[in-house]
Amino acid sequence: MISQPSITWQRVYDGPLHYDESFSSVCNTDDGNFFVAGYIELAQANGFYVLKLNPYGDTLWTRIIGGRNLSQGVYSVVPVNDGGCVFTGANDTAFTIKLDANGNIVWYKPYPVSGSFQYADLYDLVKTSDGGYIACGKIFGQVACIYKIDSFGN
């Protein structure tokens, strides 16, 4: 007999506008909560969708961040020591963004690409021992890229 896996809890999250949403990254915060982030399709533009959940899956807050400058989804999220998180993802240009523990934008940093390349996607982000981050991805789907940034996104 095959045993079924045990699930502690399970939730379905539908965005406030009931559009197309998906999650692609999750991280655990120092206080035991979780940041979950991904993509949301909006009527006027696309954006990214962020939830902060408690250990039982209950929603503490949600944010939809979108518009012309942040028009795609998030691929990676890492927690920071102040209870916030840093995200990176796909856009017309590579970017990182930091949210505080309440979901407010602390900083947003675009990293324009040069030459004939038109856009960049950053798929992974990790904290480094010096307090900064390393992000990696691709430029225009053809060239690999790596960004080393400090704790302020520079």
Side-chain angles (χ1 to χ4, degrees), residues 12-140:
V12 174
Y13 299 93
D14 188 14
L17 303 174
H18 309 293
Y19 287 149
D20 183 26
E21 302 97 19
S22 64
F23 295 121
S24 55
S25 189
V26 62
C27 75
N28 191 255
T29 62
D30 292 339
D31 61 4
N33 294 315
F34 298 91
F35 289 108
V36 182
Y39 166 85
I40 187 167
E41 181 181 321
L42 304 171
Q44 296 82 15
N46 299 324
F48 68 84
Y49 186 36
V50 181
L51 280 74
K52 187 171 184 181
L53 307 175
N54 70 15
Y56 305 103
D58 301 318
T59 303
L60 300 174
W61 52 255
T62 64
R63 298 289 183 272
I64 296 174
I65 302 172
R68 293 178 61 196
N69 291 333
L70 297 171
S71 61
Q72 298 297 320
V74 167
Y75 291 126
S76 187
V77 55
V78 295
V80 291
N81 297 343
D82 61 7
C85 54
V86 175
F87 300 90
T88 193
N91 196 2
D92 292 337
T93 188
F95 74 93
T96 54
I97 186 168
K98 180 181 179 184
L99 301 183
D100 67 16
N102 296 314
N104 302 306
I105 296 174
V106 176
W107 49 257
Y108 164 72
K109 300 290 181 168
Y111 310 109
V113 295
S114 61
S116 62
F117 300 111
Q118 297 177 2
Y119 64 88
D121 299 336
L122 294 176
Y123 294 114
D124 201 10
L125 179 72
V126 295
K127 285 196 276 188
T128 57
S129 60
D130 64 1
Y133 306 91
I134 290 183
C136 64
K138 65 181 179 178
I139 297 175
F140 197 57

